[in-house]
Amino acid sequence: MIKSQTNCSDLNEPDLITVTTALQKILAQIKPLQQYQRIGLDHACGRTLYHAVIAPFNVPPHRNSAVDGYAINSTDLPESGDTSELVIAGAAYAGQPFTGALAPGECLRIMTGAPVPEPLNVVIMQEQVERFNNTITLDHTHRRHQNIRQAGEDIVQGCPVLLAGKLLTPADIGLLASLGLTEIDVTRKLRIAIASTGDELHSLGSELAPGGIYDSNCHTLKASLERPDITVVNLGILDDNPASLQRCFEETATHCDLIISTGGVSVGDADHTRTALRALGSIEFWKVAIKPGRPLAFGCLNKTPFFGLPGNPVAVLVTLYQFVLPAIDKMLGITDRPVCPAFTALSTEAIRKRPGRTEIQRGIISQTTTGHWHVKTTGQQGSGILRSMSLANAFIILEHDRGPVKKGDPVTVQPFAGLL
Ligand code: AMP
Ligand code: MG
């Protein structure tokens, strides 16, 4: 009789931790970079603001007209039911303020964005007056301050406009430009090393040997991580050899902020990543109750955090999104990025699932004519089947304690929009 040993599908091992615990342990180890660089505003989109920005002046800097029309003094507004006739005594354009003085009974032709001079306090749209030569006639329906944009209505001088930790968006860049800022302090770029491990792997452009496959993980990771705030250092393909892995990781830890390897973290005879990690630093955990992505090692080499992702291509992407990207956000000090909400959709099919691990399947979400969201899986969900990810537009998140899904059951979906 064979005495079975623990394997990759056992759910009740003591060192198997939940997704939530894994993420907590990762974030507890990760420290924000605390180093910044000053860069030109036009290169700052997608970077993280390091110091809060205080408004040096009001935006808009002066009261100005929100419409094309006529600026008047409210003392010239007619009584209810009456009309007033006012003489046009001058004109104000955006960039060409009116500097003269107006007598009672006079008004100003004014264009959108032109400063509204004191003591005028009403702007009337040109469509709402009758003009005859140099006079306008208006009725009683107008109110003080209408159609006037107040100085500081957008940004008040001395107030924080953007806080540290903001991932800068195009709107933020415009806001900073409206304050006349040409340069800005952002967290310096994160240097992330990526490595593929496996004797079967070949680089693109080389011929496949028998039993060989192309290294796709390195390209998936590069495509995911090449962003304005990251420099990717590609270590290439590393042999399944403990000594050479060790040498490479040790050297890399001296000049990179984070190391991500794929493959070699499971329990096979050629899985040496954990051995190298243990020899050089510490392993925080290496088994997470998640499918795909169960063998996932996280630790530190000296002070450099290290993710040993699984080799299977789908597991790489799933663990990257669930564990690595939140860690990267923390290192960069990002506390405010556009949200990517998960929501509920109805499953159009039954899905097998057992309680005791989080399963992240790949699905296609669509909205019915009645506005309800439905989701179907992309078919075969093996962790090596990268097409299941390429066909998908969302993750289907089947929570840790959840059992099988029946057709029509609600499930949590996380759309790729904003995630990828
Ligand atoms: P491992 O975790 O090293 O046991 O690898 C698990 C599976 O993923 C094996 O079938 C590997 O051939 C495959 N694999 C590992 N690394 C890569 C890679 N960089 N690109 C494509 N497939 C990979
Ligand atoms: Mg391998």
Side-chain angles (χ1 to χ4, degrees):
M1 186 148 94
I2 296 173
K3 183 170 170 289
S4 72
Q5 302 179 16
T6 55
N7 68 33
C8 268
S9 56
D10 281 322
L11 296 180
N12 38 14
E13 294 165 60
D15 47 358
L16 185 68
I17 61 173
T18 65
V19 168
T20 313
T21 306
L23 196 54
Q24 277 167 358
K25 281 178 181 282
I26 291 166
L27 295 180
Q29 290 287 323
I30 296 280
K31 304 274 175 295
L33 273 185
Q34 310 223 331
Q35 287 169 12
Y36 69 93
Q37 61 181 137
R38 186 159 291 182
I39 60 169
L41 188 65
D42 287 335
H43 300 285
C45 194
R47 302 295 297 269
T48 308
L49 194 62
Y50 194 84
H51 293 125
V53 174
I54 308 297
F57 51 76
N58 281 330
V59 177
H62 43 71
R63 292 196 313 153
N64 69 92
S65 178
V67 296
D68 294 320
Y70 298 89
I72 73 165
N73 192 326
S74 59
T75 53
D76 287 329
L77 284 172
E79 293 292 316
S80 178
D82 274 358
T83 58
S84 291
E85 202 175 271
L86 304 178
V87 175
I88 304 167
Y93 295 83
Q96 289 176 40
F98 174 78
T99 51
L102 296 184
E106 289 184 335
C107 70
L108 196 63
R109 173 78 173 122
I110 196 162
M111 289 356 122
T112 305
V116 178
E118 293 292 343
L120 305 189
N121 53 8
V122 184
V123 172
I124 301 172
M125 287 172 79
Q126 63 190 38
E127 293 84 350
Q128 294 176 353
V129 304
E130 272 175 25
R131 178 164 176 172
F132 183 71
N133 288 337
N134 213 28
T135 62
I136 57 168
T137 305
L138 49 109
D139 63 19
H140 71 276
T141 56
H142 308 287
R143 297 278 166 273
R144 271 211 299 172
H145 306 309
Q146 71 175 29
N147 298 323
I148 296 178
R149 302 192 282 223
Q150 300 300 325
E153 166 178 295
D154 190 357
I155 303 168
V156 179
Q157 179 178 10
C159 286
V161 185
L162 294 173
L163 299 178
K166 178 87 167 67
L167 183 68
L168 296 171
T169 63
D172 300 328
I173 301 300
L175 205 59
L176 296 169
S178 69
L179 293 171
L181 298 170
T182 53
E183 293 185 318
I184 200 82
D185 292 341
V186 296
T187 311
R188 76 150 166 83
K189 283 192 180 196
L190 199 59
R191 281 173 68 81
I192 302 184
I194 59 171
S196 301
T197 70
D199 288 344
E200 75 280 32
L201 302 178
H202 289 64
S203 303
L204 296 187
S206 64
E207 208 156 304
L208 286 185
I213 59 168
Y214 284 119
D215 169 13
S216 66
N217 289 344
C218 128
H219 297 277
T220 315
L221 284 179
K222 252 173 71 174
S224 307
L225 297 175
E226 268 173 353
R227 330 191 304 206
D229 49 1
I230 293 174
T231 302
V232 176
V233 178
N234 187 2
L235 304 177
I237 298 169
L238 309 182
D239 294 340
D240 286 322
N241 171 314
S244 64
L245 287 179
Q246 218 164 309
R247 262 198 311 278
C248 176
F249 294 152
E250 189 169 24
E251 196 272 328
T252 305
T254 62
H255 60 89
C256 287
D257 304 304
L258 175 68
I259 302 174
I260 305 172
S261 72
T262 63
V265 279
S266 196
V267 292
D269 293 342
D271 292 334
H272 303 301
T273 306
R274 282 186 290 122
T275 317
L277 189 53
R278 196 173 292 119
L280 296 167
S282 58
I283 299 183
E284 191 71 22
F285 62 79
W286 68 279
K287 276 190 248 175
V288 184
I290 185 173
K291 184 185 174 193
R294 183 174 187 280
L296 159 71
F298 173 73
C300 287
L301 301 181
N302 250 330
K303 293 202 166 73
T304 308
F306 184 106
F307 282 97
L309 304 186
N312 278 308
V314 181
V316 168
L317 274 167
V318 167
T319 50
L320 181 80
Y321 292 126
Q322 303 302 325
F323 301 110
V324 184
L325 294 189
I328 290 176
D329 271 14
K330 182 159 182 199
M331 291 185 96
L332 286 166
I334 301 174
T335 52
D336 184 0
R337 69 154 56 246
V339 291
C340 175
F343 59 90
T344 299
L346 303 181
S347 178
T348 60
E349 62 195 297
I351 306 175
R352 278 196 304 193
K353 159 76 168 74
R354 45 183 179 138
R357 68 179 173 206
T358 303
E359 289 196 19
I360 302 199
Q361 302 220 346
R362 280 73 66 204
I364 298 171
I365 52 172
S366 58
Q367 204 172 13
T368 64
T369 48
T370 52
H372 294 98
W373 284 95
H374 284 180
V375 63
K376 64 173 185 184
T377 67
T378 49
Q380 278 197 60
Q381 296 286 310
S383 63
I385 301 178
L386 198 46
R387 254 169 62 79
S388 71
M389 185 79 200
S390 157
L391 288 170
N393 61 9
F395 284 127
I396 305 172
I397 314 246
L398 303 174
E399 292 83 0
H400 189 88
D401 294 325
R402 177 155 200 162
V405 174
K406 295 191 297 297
K407 184 178 171 175
D409 278 355
V411 290
T412 304
V413 293
Q414 189 179 25
F416 289 167
L419 188 67
L420 304 188

